[in-house]
């Protein structure tokens, strides 16, 4: 399952959907509209991630429906992947953690993580111990 956040030429709002056969994209909103249903966990990538694992099952079910009844979707709903603007897969990440395998990089990452957890005198003491 290849999930994407994208924009079409006719929509300025980001759409959340999936890639079909590496050639087309279809939004979950278009599928839900066809079905006459609404699944709030498939409204965006953020809501999808928040409601895991239930959202995975809902996405899989809608994808199967769309693939089986692909003839019901028009060209405004199923777009060639080259005709859409792909957006960052996770528009609002909760956190970014950078790490590497070099000792210096690990030390710097450790210092940054510890500084986020400790404040006041504890922080200064940790800095002295690590440096």
């Amino acid at each position: 399952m290849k999930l994407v956040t994208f924009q079409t030429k006719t929509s300025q709002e980001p759409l959340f959907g999936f890639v079909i056969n590496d050639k087309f994209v279809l939004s979950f909103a278009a599928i839900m509209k066809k079905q006459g249903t609404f699944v709030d966990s498939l409204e965006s990538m953020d809501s999808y991630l928040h409601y895991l694992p239930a959202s995975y099952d809902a996405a899989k079910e809608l994808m199967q429906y769309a693939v089986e009844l692909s003839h019901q979707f028009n060209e405004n709903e199923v777009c060639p992947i080259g005709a859409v603007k792909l957006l960052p897969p996770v528009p609002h990440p909760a956190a970014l953690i950078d790490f590497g395998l070099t000792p210096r990089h690990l030390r710097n990452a450790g210092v940054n993580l510890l500084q986020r957890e400790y404040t006041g005198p504890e922080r200064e003491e940790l800095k002295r111990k690590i440096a």
Side-chain angles (χ1 to χ4, degrees), residues 14-73:
L15 299 169
F16 176 53
F18 64 99
V19 178
I20 303 169
N21 299 329
D22 293 329
K23 295 179 183 178
F24 302 98
V25 294
L26 176 61
S27 72
F28 288 114
I31 302 168
M32 290 185 283
K33 186 176 177 182
K34 285 276 191 231
Q35 283 188 330
T37 61
F38 180 74
V39 181
D40 59 348
S41 63
L42 298 178
E43 192 171 23
S44 68
M45 179 62 84
D46 290 333
S47 60
Y48 174 82
L49 293 172
H50 179 76
Y51 290 106
L52 281 171
S55 57
Y56 173 82
D57 295 332
K60 194 172 175 182
E61 186 178 310
L62 286 180
M63 287 173 59
Q64 287 173 345
Y65 170 85
V67 170
E68 289 171 9
L69 301 172
S70 59
H71 62 279
Q72 291 186 0
F73 295 93

Side-chain angles (χ1 to χ4, degrees), residues 4 7 10 19 21 32-33 36-37 45 53 68 70 91 93 96 103 105 116 119 122 124 128 130:
V4 291
Q7 282 180 319
T10 59
V19 178
N21 299 329
M32 290 185 283
K33 186 176 177 182
T37 61
M45 179 62 84
E68 289 171 9
S70 59
L96 293 175
H105 195 103
R116 287 176 177 255
T119 59
E122 298 169 322
E124 295 306 315
R128 282 193 297 276
I130 294 172

Side-chain angles (χ1 to χ4, degrees), residues 91-122:
H92 308 288
L96 293 175
I97 299 176
D98 182 23
F99 65 93
L101 299 177
T102 64
R104 188 176 117 213
H105 195 103
L106 288 171
R107 185 175 115 323
N108 290 340
V111 168
N112 288 334
L113 287 171
L114 290 172
Q115 286 178 350
R116 287 176 177 255
E117 294 295 320
Y118 296 99
T119 59
E122 298 169 322

